[in-house]
Amino acid sequence: AGLLTVAGMAAIKALTTLQESATSEGVRLGAARTTLEMGCKLRETVEWTDRLAALEGRLDALLGGADRLEDC
């Protein structure tokens, strides 16, 4: 996971550099579009993770923490 995080940061830096300094408008637009798409996907993933954690907490409260299905 750590290597993926480092690679992700490098990718964001590369996109930011392209967005700021590429001479081609198409390249700048592509970099901007990709950056926005990645940000939206990250936000969506965080929201789903939070919602799932809340549901798991409610399930644990209802079941008293017992007889819950284990992770697969």
Side-chain angles (χ1 to χ4, degrees):
L3 185 58
L4 186 57
T5 300
V6 171
M9 292 299 293
I12 291 298
K13 286 181 182 180
L15 286 169
T16 301
T17 299
L18 286 172
Q19 191 176 343
E20 293 172 352
S21 62
T23 56
S24 167
E25 288 183 12
V27 171
R28 289 194 313 268
L29 176 61
R33 181 179 293 134
T34 300
T35 302
L36 289 172
E37 288 173 356
M38 291 173 61
C40 288
K41 287 180 183 178
L42 177 61
R43 184 180 317 118
E44 182 180 5
T45 299
V46 169
E47 288 174 0
W48 278 111
T49 301
D50 291 346
R51 291 179 70 183
L52 180 59
L55 286 171
E56 288 176 338
R58 290 176 63 189
L59 180 60
D60 280 340
L62 287 171
L63 297 178
D67 296 327
R68 182 166 175 229
L69 296 175
E70 295 297 321
D71 295 335
C72 296

